[in-house]
Amino acid sequence: SGRASLVWTGSEFGVSWNDERDGNYEIYFASLDSSGNKIGSEKRITYSYYDSIAPSIVWTGSEFGISWSDERDGNYEIYFIRLDSTGNKIASDFRVSHALEYSSYPSLTWTGSEYGIAWQDERNEHYEIYFALLDSQGRKIGLDRRVTAHPSYNPSLIWAEGVYGVSWYDWQDGNPEIYFVRLDPSGSKIGQDIRVTQSLDGSYYPSLTWTGNEFAISWQEAED
């Protein structure tokens, strides 16, 4: 079991993860009370019978949204599902990406009226960060937006009262560093990429949040 994603609803936690108990990785869900005790039983979300990995979960105020990377189509693509407050599926799985290559490590956020998803995508021969919008029912709005134009990995996406913030790591300056950019509500970039780290030894796997006034990022860093 791994790649867990956690969200707070205001009264309890929802957690999703990938789990190999059935012979291949599938996505599972559980509810936890405010003390971290499990409420009811775990629920299996995917039945693709190929690997489903790296979920990202959000709470809309009335239901959960989960995105993940799924191999059911012969290559990894990004999928999305809505769950009610107890973890039951509200609709069928929806395929978000159609890269026909390797789309993975999605990061999902909720704006109050729609979902934003960012992920790493290999459609241009190397991984880059892409972004898409879904309406409240999980239907795609418009086309995918390409955020980066160089090898880029593991995005973290957050909605911040009128704009999206997205962070990732890439090698554009010769070694792995953390970068950040803002996107407007349609997913278009606002300004240039901002280099966050200056470690020269390697910075990876950012996690981004919004405090209500500013962005905060944590990451993993290699040191001599």
Side-chain angles (χ1 to χ4, degrees):
S1 302
R3 294 284 179 183
S5 180
L6 183 73
V7 69
W8 173 250
T9 70
S11 60
E12 61 190 42
F13 297 97
V15 61
S16 185
W17 67 95
N18 53 238
D19 190 311
E20 205 177 15
R21 73 184 72 177
D22 296 306
N24 57 283
Y25 285 112
E26 299 285 358
I27 305 301
Y28 282 78
F29 170 88
S31 295
L32 310 176
D33 67 20
S34 59
S35 298
N37 301 304
K38 192 180 288 184
I39 303 169
S41 59
E42 300 166 5
K43 296 187 177 181
R44 180 175 168 179
I45 303 305
T46 59
Y47 288 85
S48 70
Y49 302 103
Y50 294 90
D51 282 342
S52 301
I53 60 171
S56 178
I57 187 170
V58 297
W59 173 250
T60 70
S62 60
E63 62 188 55
F64 296 99
I66 301 178
S67 63
W68 69 94
S69 183
D70 196 304
E71 199 183 14
R72 71 183 70 178
D73 302 302
N75 54 281
Y76 282 98
E77 298 284 359
I78 304 303
Y79 275 77
F80 171 87
I81 190 66
R82 295 163 56 217
L83 310 179
D84 68 18
S85 60
T86 62
N88 296 309
K89 282 189 175 186
I90 297 173
S92 299
D93 301 351
F94 174 78
R95 180 173 167 179
V96 175
S97 66
H98 291 82
L100 305 179
E101 288 294 340
Y102 195 106
S103 300
S104 57
Y105 301 114
S107 181
L108 184 67
T109 192
W110 171 250
T111 71
S113 60
E114 59 193 19
Y115 298 94
I117 304 178
W119 68 94
Q120 67 180 45
D121 192 307
E122 204 177 17
R123 70 185 73 179
N124 292 305
E125 298 184 353
H126 54 254
Y127 286 116
E128 295 171 344
I129 307 305
Y130 278 77
F131 171 89
L133 289 169
L134 306 179
D135 69 17
S136 61
Q137 302 302 303
R139 296 169 298 210
K140 198 168 185 178
I141 303 169
L143 301 175
D144 299 345
R145 297 278 189 145
R146 185 177 175 182
V147 177
T148 60
H150 40 262
S152 311
Y153 306 86
N154 285 88
S156 180
L157 180 73
I158 197 74
W159 175 250
E161 299 178 3
V163 298
Y164 294 96
V166 60
S167 184
W168 66 93
Y169 72 90
D170 73 36
W171 272 261
Q172 64 180 283
D173 292 312
N175 58 286
E177 298 286 357
I178 304 300
Y179 289 82
F180 169 88
V181 77
R182 294 182 304 149
L183 309 178
D184 70 19
S186 72
S188 297
K189 290 175 80 167
I190 302 170
Q192 301 298 312
D193 299 348
I194 297 170
R195 179 173 169 179
V196 176
T197 58
Q198 306 284 335
S199 73
L200 304 180
D201 294 312
S203 302
Y204 309 87
Y205 310 117
S207 179
L208 182 66
T209 193
W210 171 249
T211 69
N213 296 298
E214 58 192 10
F215 295 98
I217 306 175
S218 64
W219 65 91
Q220 173 184 317
E221 187 160 311
E223 296 183 359
D224 291 336

